[in-house]
Structure formats: C-alpha cells, structure tokens
Amino acid sequence: MNPIEKAKISDVTQMHQLINSFADKGEMLARSLSELYEDIRDYFVVKQGERVIACAALHVSWSDLAEIKSLAVAEDSQEQGIGAQLVEACLSEARELGIATIFCLTYKPGFFEQFGFSQLDKMELPRKVWTECYRCPKFPNCDEVALIYHLEV
Ligand SMILES: CC(C)(COP(=O)(O)OP(=O)(O)OC[C@H]1O[C@@H](n2cnc3c(N)ncnc32)[C@H](O)[C@@H]1OP(=O)(O)O)[C@@H](O)C(=O)NCCC(=O)NCCS
C-alpha cells in the first residue's frame, strides 16, 4: 500500500486533473487551481512514483467543526482501500487537532456511512460552512448529501 503524504505544491496540477475528471462526470464538485493552491495545507495525497493516484482534504471550519472534502481515487486505483485510508488520515488529523465534529457533503453517502458517518439535513450545518458554497455553480440548489461524524477528543 502506498503511504499517505501531505500534498506538495508540485502535486497540485495532478490533483486538479484528478478531482475535475470526476467533477466533469457529476460525481463531485470541481476545484479551481487557485483554491487548491490556497488550501494546499489541507490536502493529503497518495502517489505511485510521481503520479498522484488519490487525494483528500481536511478543512477546518470552526473550533469544533471540520470538513472532509475533495476525496478522489483514480479509477485504476479504486477498490484497494485507498479511499478508506484517506478518510482515516483525515479523521486522525482532526483528532490530533482536537476537533470533535467532522462533516462531508457528497454524492456517495454509502461510502462514508461505513466509517460511522450519519446523514443529517444540510440546513442543520452552521451557516459558516456555506461560505464556499456561494462559489459553487449549483448554489443554491445543492443536491449533495450531508453526513456527520463525532470524534472522542
Ligand atoms: C468513492 C471513492 C473515494 C472510494 O474510493 P476507493 O479507494 O475505491 O474505496 P476503498 O477501496 O477504500 O473502499 C472501502 C470500502 O468502501 C466501499 N465503497 C467504495 N465505493 C463505495 C460507494 N460509492 N458507496 C458505498 N461503498 C463504497 C468498498 O466496497 C469498500 O468496502 P469493503 O471494505 O467492504 O470492501 C472512489 O470511488 C472515488 O474517488 N470516486 C470518485 C469521486 C467521488 O465520488 N468521491 C467521493 C466523495 S466527494
């Protein structure tokens, strides 16, 4: 199994291509290069040599809230446990930071439910998390499912 690493600036163009290849098929939200550079410290990657085969981010929203976002595993690397490893890496970082609640917005709720995430009404999430949504082409007609996970911290 390839290790999980913190992303480097030199990984961003490949992360951009990976995320947006799924976004083009309506499977996740697109990210701009600008967002990825700004949020580079949030991202984990998995690499095969110099190739980025997967990425995910933990983005802190507030003292007790963080989001797992932009989880993507290249098609030829799926079903090998990499997505699960990335979720665990994000949860572990949240635990180290002392953040008790993790949420995600996704079209794949079943994937997150197996880690103990549970669905909630998007409107129950604090307004603060919508800052990013204003930039989304789908706003205000968001069709992603919100899920939440509580950590012991
Ligand atoms: C969803 C995604 C991240 C899963 O990554 P992956 O590396 O293939 O997942 P894993 O191999 O770690 O799978 C772990 C478990 O989740 C299950 N799983 C995978 N995709 C699933 C899905 N869409 N729904 C429910 N369960 C799923 C696997 O069968 C596996 O179960 P097992 O442990 O019982 O065998 C990957 O398919 C992907 O990148 N899809 C496109 C982008 C996307 O939809 N991102 C989602 C979040 S925005």
Side-chain angles (χ1 to χ4, degrees), residues 50-79:
E50 288 308 304
R51 181 184 169 220
V52 174
I53 56 169
C55 65
L58 180 80
H59 183 74
V60 178
S61 307
W62 202 248
S63 64
D64 56 355
L65 188 67
E67 176 181 10
I68 294 180
K69 61 184 196 178
S70 297
L71 170 63
V73 180
E75 261 160 23
D76 60 3
S77 300
Q78 290 180 3
E79 299 289 328

Side-chain angles (χ1 to χ4, degrees), residues 22 27-28 70-74 77-85 105-108 110-112 114-115 144:
F22 292 117
E27 292 188 45
M28 62 194 292
S70 297
L71 170 63
V73 180
S77 300
Q78 290 180 3
E79 299 289 328
Q80 296 171 30
I82 297 173
Q85 262 191 301
L105 290 159
T106 181
Y107 297 117
K108 309 270 169 71
F111 177 74
F112 287 93
Q114 61 189 329
F115 302 99
E144 290 191 303

